[in-house]
Structures are given as C-alpha cells and as structure tokens.
Amino acid sequence: MEEDNYEAVRLLIHWFYTQVLDTQQPDERLTGKPKDNEDLTLIQLWILADKLLIPELQNLVIDRIDDIREVTEVIPTDCLHSVYSNTSAGSPLSRWFVHQMRYSAGAGLVYRAP
C-alpha cells in the first residue's frame, strides 16, 4: 500500500472501524465548492477498495462522489487520468465517469482543472 494516498488509507481505516465514510464534506457540509483534493482522494480510496475487494466501500465512495457532483454541479475531470490508469476496463468507476460526462457535458457541468 506504499503507493496509496495517505488520506485514502486514513479513510479506509476509519471506515473499517466505523463503517462511515469520513470525508471533508460530509452530507451536512456540502457547500457547492469542491474541497482541495477530495475528489482525487475519493478516487484513490475507490481504487484501494478495488484492490482489497471491498465492493461495499466502493459503492459508498461512488455515492459520495455523486453527492458532491450534485451539489457542486461539476465533474472532476482532473481525476480521469487516475481513474483510467488504475482501474480495469469497464470498472464501475470508469463507467460512472463516462455516464456523467455523456449526460452532463451538454449542460456545462464539466469542471476543467486549471
């Protein structure tokens, strides 16, 4: 796990003990602006859960990414490289991104990293 993000590992350990995803933006604090690196940390957590075969956590992470997307109205395209470099073809995470890009691009909801 040396190559895994420290914050993603912290979230994993917290989830093991509590079954709660302790993100920077819990449901009651979603502000409408993405928090620094939270999208990438969630992507890395999903990838780590994939390596460890924890589908329940993977589903929870995708739900949280989607919650953040609904509030912020942006899709974190700066994470696409990590998604496609670290997941298998047709993974649920890559399919989520494809779906979101397909249906949101026309609405101007795609966030482009500076």
Side-chain angles (χ1 to χ4, degrees):
M1 285 198 302
E2 188 174 308
E3 72 278 0
D4 296 310
N5 173 290
Y6 169 81
E7 184 64 13
V9 173
R10 185 196 69 76
L11 290 172
L12 174 69
I13 292 169
H14 185 272
W15 182 82
F16 277 142
Y17 284 102
T18 66
Q19 300 296 293
V20 172
L21 186 54
D22 181 32
T23 58
Q24 295 173 22
Q25 297 187 93
D27 296 333
E28 68 274 6
R29 290 190 302 180
L30 286 173
T31 63
K33 291 193 283 187
K35 297 282 185 181
D36 292 339
N37 298 321
E38 183 160 59
D39 294 325
L40 184 57
T41 298
L42 287 169
I43 298 301
Q44 291 168 336
L45 178 59
W46 190 96
I47 293 165
L48 182 57
D50 188 42
K51 288 179 189 177
L52 299 173
L53 303 174
I54 310 172
E56 181 181 350
L57 180 56
Q58 289 174 279
N59 292 339
L60 189 61
V61 169
I62 286 180
D63 288 345
R64 181 54 52 92
I65 292 169
D66 198 52
D67 291 344
I68 293 169
R69 181 206 50 84
E70 285 180 9
V71 172
T72 62
E73 297 184 341
V74 295
I75 299 168
T77 58
D78 55 330
C79 298
L80 287 174
H81 178 72
S82 291
V83 171
Y84 286 95
S85 296
N86 295 292
T87 62
S88 59
S91 75
L93 186 60
S94 61
R95 287 194 322 250
W96 181 88
F97 268 95
V98 167
H99 175 80
Q100 295 305 319
M101 296 292 289
R102 182 173 181 213
Y103 291 102
S104 299
L109 301 179
V110 179
Y111 170 72
R112 293 184 189 352

